[in-house]
Amino acid sequence: MTFLDRTTDARKFRHWPGNVEADYIYTSGVAGERFFVALRDEGRMLASRCTACHLDYLPPRMFCEDCFAELTEYLDVPKTGRVAAITAAHIDRTGAQLSHPQVWAFVTFEGIRGGLVHRLLTPPDQARAGTAVRAKLKPRDARTGTIADIEGFEPVRSRF
Amino acid sequence: MTKVGVIGAGMTLFRRRLEETGKELCFEATKMALDSAGLTRGDVDMVVCGTAPDAFDGVAMKGEYLLDGSGGYRKPYTRVFTGGGTGVFSTIAGWWHVASGLADVVLVVNEEKMSSCQPHPQSVFAHIWDPILDRPLKPNLVWIFAMEMNRYMTVYGVKKEDIARVAVKNKRNAVGHPCAQLADPNITVDDVLNSEVMAWPVQRLDISPPSDGASAVVLASEDFIRKRRIKDRAWISGVGWCIDSTMWTDRDLVFPEYVARAAKHAYKMAKIDEPRRQIDFAEPYDPFDYKELHHLEGLLLADKGEAPILTREGVTERDGKMPVCPSGGLLGVGNPIAATMGMKIGELFWQLTGQAGKRQIPHEVHTGVSQAWGDLMQYGSVVVMRG
Ligand SMILES: [Zn+2]
């Protein structure tokens, strides 16, 4: 066997199975706690403000990565955001075909640094950058204080 | 080579579980270190982050993850990692950034959030072993320490109570430490000897348990220190690091050769030829009580087998002739692997600049040595600092 021979079946050789069994519990941290509790309890999305740099961070951070001030002021992110970039996934991360393509979007908000990557709740052929969108939240009872409390973003429909 | 000084230090509380994310812990320690140096992030040229296996925090590429809290945004930034040795090694990496003339001011930020890992960080420690030779036996890290401790006891006829004195001393020293997780003013040798047996001769109170925490130090060039008229500084006068055989079975279990080689390198740089006379106090790595003794001998501050005797005679107490772990060490303050820099480099800085508060060594000290121990228990990193 040399490196020039290629095998695609690792189990052809004598081998030892192994796994790194590790489970984790994460804290959402000081800023994360504010964000997720407001999302769960009040359906609000918060950013944190650096008054020195005139920046609002989404997701909120406890500190300004630039001037290194501690950030304690929180404000609401505008309800309507805009799709900055999209993709449609056709296979999942194991390589299996998805039954329907999943649309993912990077959503930004006027005057806010950063943004959110989340599901875009439109068919792939209607997904495009520049679309005005709003977060669709799960009902209050179903929200647990995680990023999945947001089901995704959907296009803002004209009311008239 | 440019002369390098430590000009600020900070650390968070060390606790079994903290609410802050790793990034937030880094921010708190970094902000404190910058404030204590009278600098802002804008003064910082480069950043070094030190943190142990990604598997503890449960974030792959942890160095990248911690960069904003560490002040690394849009700066030359590197994560270094030598296991537990990172506690002192990251400062050596920071030192070479400045000593080389490449940077004037470098931040060194160390972090560990071990509480993320469930049910216990021991489950990921299990995977530092060789996957074919060792892992099928399901080894527990404590076995290895227990055999090393036992070998040390056997060769020199050391009594367990003399080793337990180290845990007592350090947990008592930590009473004056604002970040301490494990301080105990009333602990006795009997408490240690009566604690649960984990793997004989290692008992519960012989070990420092896992913690969450972060620490940071600010390094600067001599030029910068003079120009800014910074008064509180301690000079890094020697550095050394060394790794022994990857095979645990090929090492001397009684004498930590890797520490001795790292120490000799650091001492040569610092022009120290009689360490016991020229070094006033030490902060060796003490995740286990016997390791403080082991490391004191490796640092050539005690003859082989003599460290337990010095401990029994009170030489290593805070008011003794050679104070050892006046911070309270890992046994007293806590053991968030890399973040133990706060008791190693941080404590040297605070002691040498007279800022150690209740922990201040009562007599005058001019030269201190700190040491950390890591990788697969065969890595030594050593820094000598002068006031
Ligand atoms: Zn700012």
Side-chain angles (χ1 to χ4, degrees):
Chain A
M1 177 80 196
T2 72
F3 290 115
L4 296 175
D5 298 318
R6 187 175 164 160
T7 177
T8 51
D9 180 9
R11 288 177 193 271
K12 224 171 88 185
F13 305 105
R14 228 160 69 75
H15 61 271
W16 289 260
N19 72 315
V20 179
E21 71 281 350
D23 294 307
Y24 294 94
I25 50 171
Y26 300 98
T27 56
S28 43
V30 174
E33 195 70 10
R34 287 288 295 264
F35 181 75
F36 289 119
V37 169
L39 183 66
R40 180 191 64 194
D41 295 352
E42 302 167 52
R44 295 163 68 195
M45 286 205 300
L46 298 182
S48 62
R49 170 161 288 177
C50 179
T51 46
C53 297
H54 306 289
L55 278 178
D56 298 325
Y57 284 100
L58 174 71
R61 301 194 206 186
M62 179 199 175
F63 54 89
C64 174
E65 70 177 356
D66 205 345
C67 76
F68 234 50
E70 184 169 350
L71 308 183
T72 52
E73 191 185 335
Y74 291 80
L75 61 141
D76 286 287
V77 172
K79 287 258 184 267
T80 301
R82 222 163 258 289
V83 173
I86 56 149
T87 185
H90 291 255
I91 56 173
D92 70 12
R93 62 182 175 185
T94 69
Q97 276 297 322
L98 292 164
S99 54
H100 303 286
Q102 280 177 357
V103 187
W104 293 91
F106 171 42
V107 179
T108 58
F109 299 85
E110 183 80 39
I112 301 281
R113 165 132 148 180
L116 292 174
V117 171
H118 221 297
R119 291 285 289 274
L120 188 61
L121 304 171
T122 60
D125 57 357
Q126 288 168 38
R128 61 184 61 83
T131 308
V133 291
R134 283 189 184 190
K136 183 182 181 209
L137 301 187
K138 286 182 180 168
R140 173 65 190 86
D141 294 352
R143 295 202 295 261
T144 56
T146 75
I147 196 68
D149 288 353
I150 302 172
E151 282 181 22
F153 284 85
E154 52 190 2
V156 180
R157 298 187 200 291
S158 163
R159 267 183 286 170
F160 303 102
Chain B
M1 234 166 13
T2 303
K3 195 170 163 184
V4 184
V6 178
I7 59 170
M11 61 192 280
T12 65
L13 292 179
F14 285 3
R15 290 292 181 269
R16 182 65 191 93
R17 185 164 179 80
L18 289 168
E19 181 193 7
E20 287 90 339
T21 60
K23 293 163 180 277
E24 290 173 344
L25 291 172
C26 286
F27 166 73
E28 287 175 0
T30 304
K31 180 86 174 155
M32 223 182 290
L34 284 171
D35 287 350
S36 86
L39 302 187
T40 66
R41 202 184 79 90
D43 294 311
V44 175
D45 298 319
M46 300 185 184
V47 180
V48 173
C49 173
T51 190
D54 289 351
F56 288 147
D57 287 41
V59 177
M61 302 205 302
K62 211 196 319 180
E64 178 280 331
Y65 169 73
L66 297 172
L67 88 88
D68 53 351
S70 304
Y73 170 64
R74 291 189 170 172
K75 291 188 188 288
Y77 173 87
T78 315
R79 177 225 189 145
V80 297
F81 167 52
T82 57
T86 313
V88 165
F89 179 73
S90 59
T91 296
I92 299 178
W95 168 84
W96 74 52
H97 283 62
V98 182
S100 63
L102 211 54
D104 267 324
V105 179
V106 168
L107 254 174
V108 181
V109 185
N110 284 15
E111 179 269 2
E112 226 71 64
K113 192 169 167 77
M114 303 173 76
S115 67
S116 300
C117 188
Q118 297 291 312
H120 190 278
Q122 194 63 241
S123 65
V124 297
F125 266 132
H127 302 282
I128 65 178
W129 303 101
D130 184 290
I132 293 163
L133 269 178
D134 302 325
R135 268 173 54 188
L137 301 174
K138 300 194 191 320
N140 179 318
L141 206 56
V142 181
W143 297 358
I144 295 303
F145 300 126
M147 280 193 260
E148 192 177 71
M149 177 170 170
N150 216 344
R151 184 79 191 135
Y152 180 69
M153 290 169 66
T154 304
V155 169
Y156 297 129
V158 180
K159 292 197 191 113
K160 261 223 76 178
E161 51 257 48
D162 283 336
I163 293 178
R165 284 175 207 279
V166 174
V168 171
K169 166 178 70 70
N170 293 2
K171 288 175 192 296
R172 288 182 176 217
N173 279 352
V175 171
H177 203 299
C179 305
Q181 176 185 359
L182 305 156
D184 185 346
N186 303 313
I187 188 170
T188 64
V189 167
D190 279 344
D191 292 336
V192 180
L193 296 179
N194 293 331
S195 62
E196 180 189 8
V197 175
M198 298 178 77
W200 183 259
V202 173
Q203 291 173 266
R204 182 69 66 187
L205 292 178
D206 292 313
I207 299 194
S208 176
S211 316
D212 290 356
S215 60
V217 296
V218 185
L219 311 183
S221 66
E222 184 176 25
D223 253 12
F224 184 91
I225 292 170
R226 289 203 198 295
K227 273 188 203 140
R228 291 287 190 105
R229 299 169 197 278
I230 292 166
K231 283 210 317 270
D232 290 324
R233 84 286 177 277
W235 301 106
I236 294 179
S237 47
V239 301
W241 62 104
C242 179
I243 192 161
D244 208 331
S245 166
T246 187
M247 301 300 288
W248 186 82
T249 46
D250 290 8
R251 298 179 210 151
D252 184 342
L253 300 188
V254 179
F255 183 73
E257 185 62 32
Y258 44 92
V259 173
R261 286 174 186 250
K264 282 174 191 164
H265 189 277
Y267 294 165
K268 193 176 168 198
M269 262 182 79
K271 298 186 170 57
I272 289 172
D273 41 24
E274 291 179 75
R276 291 176 74 150
R277 199 177 56 76
Q278 291 167 279
I279 291 171
D280 302 319
F281 70 106
E283 276 286 345
Y285 213 61
D286 62 319
F288 289 76
D289 42 14
Y290 84 95
K291 281 312 280 190
E292 172 171 312
L293 305 170
H294 229 207
H295 291 152
L296 275 178
E297 294 172 16
L299 288 167
L300 313 174
L301 297 175
D303 291 339
K304 291 179 179 181
E306 191 195 13
I309 300 164
L310 297 181
T311 305
R312 191 198 312 143
E313 290 173 347
V315 174
T316 61
E317 294 285 340
R318 183 180 286 132
D319 59 358
K321 197 158 162 280
M322 168 71 70
V324 176
C325 290
S327 66
L330 281 62
L331 285 164
V333 184
N335 190 8
I337 314 284
T340 57
M341 174 173 73
M343 294 88 76
K344 301 302 157 194
I345 304 297
E347 188 70 8
L348 257 55
F349 168 71
W350 286 314
Q351 290 287 350
L352 291 167
T353 54
Q355 301 182 82
K358 287 180 189 160
R359 305 184 314 282
Q360 191 69 43
I361 295 167
H363 52 271
E364 221 174 295
V365 287
H366 303 284
T367 304
V369 62
S370 65
Q371 172 259 332
W373 169 61
D375 276 338
L376 200 61
M377 293 85 76
Q378 88 281 42
Y379 182 91
S381 43
V382 175
V383 164
V384 177
M385 280 164 59
R386 289 204 171 98

